Amino acid sequence: MNNAAPAPARTRGRPRGNPPTRASIVSAARSLFLERGYRRTTLRAVAGEAGVDPALIAYHFGSKKALFADVMQFQCAQALTVDDVLAGDRATLPDRLIDAVTDLWEDADFRRLTAEGDEAAEVIREYLEQELLARLVEFLGGRDATTRATAVVTILGGLIYTRYLNPLPTPAALDPSEVRRVLAPALRAALAPGSRTAAATRAGRGGSPASGGGLVRS
């Protein structure tokens, strides 16, 4: 009579104990996306690289497209860390924004990931809209914060498009320091409070003609 206990069956889905983290799966996926490209990378291959059951990837990400989005978001977040960019002297914020964008896009691995076409473009749009734009609105504050933040993201989006995604010869030929010199003034203007806000501030200090604090010509 065989009294040996049967070997436990392999369970699918979320493993017990210390399951690999999302980060380890994203890291494995990043390596394969860079090596094989989006279309030739399968979830089964990612699972093998990460040493997990394919069902665990489905549990965490749902689809290959969502996993790719996480890889791209991870790349964006590493270079364009919004907290770090917004910290420090507001006077140099335009320089930090431009440096963050150029540092990200000058990275060869990131450029290879962005070559994946529609999938990459969608992730970049979502990052600019949901992360950078939303955080800038919160950071700037005030009634015109959305307008100012939108202007900033539009300028940075134009930089990305004309220098990297569909490069024009002149922007593409600039080195990062020249990009900063050319675009920093436009970003400073975009970040500055609008004329209505400035006028309201002056009025509050008694500086507007209507309040009697302005110059009155004789």
Side-chain angles (χ1 to χ4, degrees):
M1 183 175 179
N2 186 1
N3 294 323
R10 184 184 180 192
T11 58
R12 295 182 64 81
R14 197 172 187 178
R16 298 174 182 176
N18 272 322
T21 62
R22 285 175 59 97
S24 67
I25 297 172
V26 168
S27 178
R30 176 182 178 276
S31 297
L32 289 177
F33 284 138
L34 286 171
E35 178 187 343
R36 304 179 183 181
Y38 177 82
R39 290 164 183 79
R40 292 194 298 117
T41 297
T42 65
L43 292 184
R44 187 170 294 278
V46 174
E49 182 79 7
V52 303
D53 192 298
L56 184 62
I57 299 180
Y59 173 85
H60 280 301
F61 302 96
S63 66
K64 184 171 77 168
K65 184 176 180 180
L67 176 58
F68 181 75
D70 262 60
V71 171
M72 289 287 294
Q73 293 275 9
F74 176 76
Q75 290 288 115
C76 289
Q78 275 198 318
L80 213 167
T81 306
V82 178
D83 286 339
D84 293 342
V85 171
L86 296 181
D89 187 355
R90 285 202 178 204
T92 57
L93 176 58
D95 296 326
R96 294 195 300 277
L97 285 165
I98 294 170
D99 287 345
V101 170
T102 54
D103 286 350
L104 174 64
W105 283 85
E106 298 294 329
D107 180 79
D109 285 349
F110 184 76
R111 296 283 291 277
R112 287 168 64 189
L113 289 172
T114 61
E116 296 302 331
D118 292 344
E119 291 82 5
E122 183 176 343
V123 174
I124 294 164
R125 285 195 300 269
E126 289 179 357
Y127 191 85
L128 290 174
E129 174 76 20
Q130 298 174 10
E131 181 66 15
L132 184 57
L133 177 61
R135 294 294 304 281
L136 275 172
V137 171
E138 179 184 357
F139 173 79
L140 293 172
R143 296 177 60 184
D144 64 346
T146 300
T147 299
R148 294 155 66 194
T150 300
V152 169
V153 172
T154 300
I155 293 169
L156 295 177
L159 167 63
I160 291 169
Y161 185 78
T162 59
R163 182 172 170 83
Y164 301 108
L165 290 180
N166 190 21
L168 299 178
T170 301
L174 299 174
D175 64 39
S177 64
E178 291 173 323
V179 172
R180 191 187 314 119
R181 177 180 58 80
V182 169
L183 289 185
L187 283 180
R188 288 192 185 93
L191 287 164
S195 58
R196 290 184 180 181
T197 303
T201 301
R202 289 194 299 269
R205 293 173 180 171
S208 71
S211 66
L215 296 176
V216 179
R217 294 184 178 182
S218 57

